[in-house]
Amino acid sequence: MRKILTKEEKEKKESRNKLIIGLVLVAIMVISTAGFAFFSAPQEKVSKINYNSIDFILGENNLWQFNIQNFEFLTSFNPKDTENISVPVFKTINNFYGKPLFFLGQGIAREEITRNLAIFVLRIQDACIENYESMCEENAPIKNCSIDNVMIIKEPENKEDIKITQEENCIFIEASYDEQARVADALIFKILGIKQI
């Protein structure tokens, strides 16, 4: 049989229960806040680096922003991320300025290059060159590497190979789809004079 409580005992019991519940809720809030602060701190990305006296800032859109001579550029990677990619290309931004830029092939590399060089070139257009007809878009004009700036983007036979080569005015980018943005950024850094090798 349950003991009958007086009004005073009942209020005392309710007050004690409320105090216990309040303390438990406060403890949960303190522990969760401390846990969030403790576990989220090491996962923060580096948001700014300096490379060859140029500041690269990681923006909210997860792209690296940098400025050269009052022109803003956005890349998926920074130069430190591309240091192991050799870029034996001898073209600078002056070789593209005011001239059409033609592409043979699709992919992330094309998007990356277009985003950064479009302000300098006359226009960007699909094209075709000899010996690569199987990659050509329908009705794409035939271009010549000795005259036109053409970027050929293709996946290598061995998926792990990464290669950038230049034949006259044609630049060949060979990289798996997953590596195309990084390889394109290495090329952009070389064309802009940021990367020397």
Side-chain angles (χ1 to χ4, degrees):
M1 193 166 182
R2 199 187 315 171
K3 181 181 172 188
I4 299 176
L5 301 173
T6 65
K7 186 176 179 180
E8 187 179 292
E9 290 174 327
K10 210 185 253 188
E11 287 175 0
K12 194 175 184 183
K13 187 176 180 182
E14 284 177 11
S15 156
R16 187 187 72 211
N17 287 345
K18 286 179 184 178
L19 179 65
I20 291 171
I21 291 172
L23 290 174
V24 168
L25 290 175
V26 167
I28 289 172
M29 287 175 28
V30 167
I31 291 170
S32 65
T33 303
F36 179 77
F38 180 74
F39 289 111
S40 67
Q43 297 172 354
E44 289 180 17
K45 272 187 161 182
V46 173
S47 59
K48 183 177 180 180
I49 67 162
N50 186 285
Y51 191 91
N52 285 347
S53 300
I54 299 169
D55 288 328
F56 290 78
I57 301 167
L58 186 61
E60 292 177 11
N61 53 7
N62 226 20
L63 294 175
W64 289 93
Q65 173 198 344
F66 60 99
N67 291 293
I68 299 176
Q69 296 181 358
N70 296 323
F71 290 103
E72 182 178 278
F73 299 92
L74 294 168
T75 56
S76 297
F77 295 89
N78 66 58
K80 289 184 179 181
D81 296 330
T82 67
E83 285 182 328
N84 66 335
I85 299 174
S86 175
V87 185
V89 170
F90 306 102
K91 290 177 114 9
T92 67
I93 196 65
N94 293 332
N95 298 113
F96 296 95
Y97 189 79
K99 298 176 184 173
L101 176 59
F102 299 99
F103 280 97
L104 174 56
Q106 302 292 327
I108 296 173
R110 178 177 177 156
E111 295 169 20
E112 199 79 3
I113 293 165
T114 298
R115 179 175 57 237
N116 288 286
L117 299 186
I119 59 175
F120 300 103
V121 300
L122 180 64
R123 70 178 180 279
I124 294 175
Q125 182 180 335
D126 286 328
C128 191
I129 60 171
E130 283 185 31
N131 301 324
Y132 287 87
E133 289 84 1
S134 64
M135 291 177 56
C136 297
E137 295 287 326
E138 191 175 331
N139 299 323
I142 303 291
K143 295 297 170 183
N144 186 325
C145 288
S146 62
I147 300 169
D148 302 300
N149 288 323
V150 183
M151 299 222 180
I152 299 92
I153 301 165
K154 62 180 191 168
E155 291 200 35
E157 292 177 21
N158 178 353
K159 296 285 183 190
E160 293 162 14
D161 286 344
I162 291 176
K163 188 166 51 171
I164 299 175
T165 56
Q166 179 180 340
E167 292 177 20
E168 295 179 324
N169 290 319
C170 286
I171 297 174
F172 295 82
I173 300 168
E174 291 186 53
S176 66
Y177 187 81
D178 294 340
E179 286 290 329
Q180 281 188 13
R182 194 165 70 94
V183 174
D185 287 345
L187 175 63
I188 291 164
F189 299 143
K190 180 68 183 277
I191 288 170
L192 295 175
I194 298 169
K195 185 174 177 149
Q196 304 304 317
I197 298 172

